[in-house]
């Protein structure tokens, strides 16, 4: 990929808001001359009492030796999911990777890029049809142009409690796309 050195900066922040009971976490990684990766998530229900209750219930369950899925899920009944996002901002690695891969395939980078973009709908055929699938296809195709910030996010309309997420994943996993407000986008990088 024509890198003669690798440098990375890392910063993170975790904030607990006792009033809203939210924990917000942010992680940013900058890879020099390659790209930036960011991760953000927000959880709710974190009070001194809910954390103490969690440990007490977990200890009691462990001591009892029970392996009851419903009781394990109930451990997290006080906690909710507010949102999540992971984003990659390309600073050159996409073009470098496509140049390298195209050379190995005996073609030029632009032809290889066009072939990959045309194949994306096939590669993503396992993603259920609908708006979310089209968002994924559009975002990945745009990301292949390089110099883009591509983001996958989960942004529910309101806090979703952990037992509801677990229940949906067991009953109808595809419903999580809507329940959690899944989305994907790609925009020009700053």
């Amino acid at each position: 990929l024509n890198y003669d050195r690798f440098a990375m900066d890392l910063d993170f922040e975790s904030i607990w808001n006792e009033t809203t009971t939210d924990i917000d976490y942010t992680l940013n990684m900058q890879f020099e001359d390659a790209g930036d990766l960011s991760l953000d998530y927000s959880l709710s229900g974190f009070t001194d009492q809910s954390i103490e209750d969690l440990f007490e219930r977990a200890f009691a369950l462990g001591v009892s030796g029970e392996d009851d899925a419903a009781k394990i899920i109930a451990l997290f009944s006080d906690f909710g999911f507010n949102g999540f996002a992971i984003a990659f901002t390309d600073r050159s690695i996409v073009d470098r990777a496509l140049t390298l891969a195209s050379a190995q395939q005996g073609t030029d980078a632009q032809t290889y890029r066009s072939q990959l973009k045309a194949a994306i709908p096939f590669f993503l055929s396992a993603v259920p049809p609908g708006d979310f699938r089209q968002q994924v296809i559009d975002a990945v195709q745009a990301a292949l142009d390089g110099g883009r910030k591509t983001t996958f996010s989960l942004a529910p309309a309101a806090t979703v409690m952990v037992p509801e997420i677990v229940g949906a994943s067991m009953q109808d996993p595809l419903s999580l796309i809507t329940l959690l407000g899944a989305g994907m986008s790609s925009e020009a990088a700053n």
Side-chain angles (χ1 to χ4, degrees):
L1 295 175
N2 284 331
Y3 289 109
D4 50 356
R5 70 186 199 96
F6 181 77
M8 178 185 81
D9 287 325
L10 172 71
D11 65 85
F12 61 92
E13 179 178 48
S14 182
I15 298 172
W16 176 28
N17 182 324
E18 292 182 63
T19 304
T20 65
T21 73
D22 291 348
I23 290 181
D24 298 316
Y25 182 81
T26 300
L27 170 71
N28 294 301
M29 299 166 48
Q30 297 84 32
F31 302 94
E32 185 178 308
D33 295 326
D36 306 334
L37 182 66
S38 67
L39 172 75
D40 299 282
Y41 66 84
S42 178
L43 305 172
S44 68
F46 288 86
T47 64
D48 288 334
Q49 187 63 52
S50 67
I51 294 168
E52 186 178 315
D53 290 348
L54 170 67
F55 284 113
E56 285 177 8
R57 291 185 305 220
F59 179 75
L61 190 61
V63 168
S64 72
E66 289 185 65
D67 190 17
D68 183 344
K71 287 184 179 179
I72 294 170
I73 294 167
L75 290 174
F76 301 98
S77 62
D78 294 333
F79 303 105
F81 175 80
N82 297 329
F84 168 86
I86 186 167
F88 179 74
T89 304
D90 175 51
R91 303 279 183 222
S92 77
I93 198 162
V94 170
D95 286 336
R96 290 172 184 251
L98 290 174
T99 298
L100 177 65
S102 64
Q104 292 173 344
Q105 297 295 321
T107 188
D108 63 279
Q110 189 54 44
T111 300
Y112 191 69
R113 180 186 325 261
S114 296
Q115 291 170 344
L116 277 177
K117 288 172 84 171
I120 292 301
F122 173 74
F123 292 153
L124 298 175
S125 61
V127 177
D131 291 342
F132 177 66
R133 179 178 184 208
Q134 194 57 52
Q135 287 177 18
V136 174
I137 290 169
D138 293 346
V140 173
Q141 286 176 330
L144 288 171
D145 288 331
R148 309 282 298 184
K149 178 181 180 182
T150 304
T151 305
F152 169 76
S153 62
L154 299 173
T159 299
V160 182
M161 301 309 286
V162 170
E164 186 178 358
I165 295 169
V166 173
S169 70
M170 294 168 64
Q171 301 261 328
D172 180 11
L174 295 180
S175 71
L176 291 171
I177 293 170
T178 303
L179 178 66
L180 299 178
M184 193 159 180
S185 63
S186 186
E187 60 192 20
N190 296 338

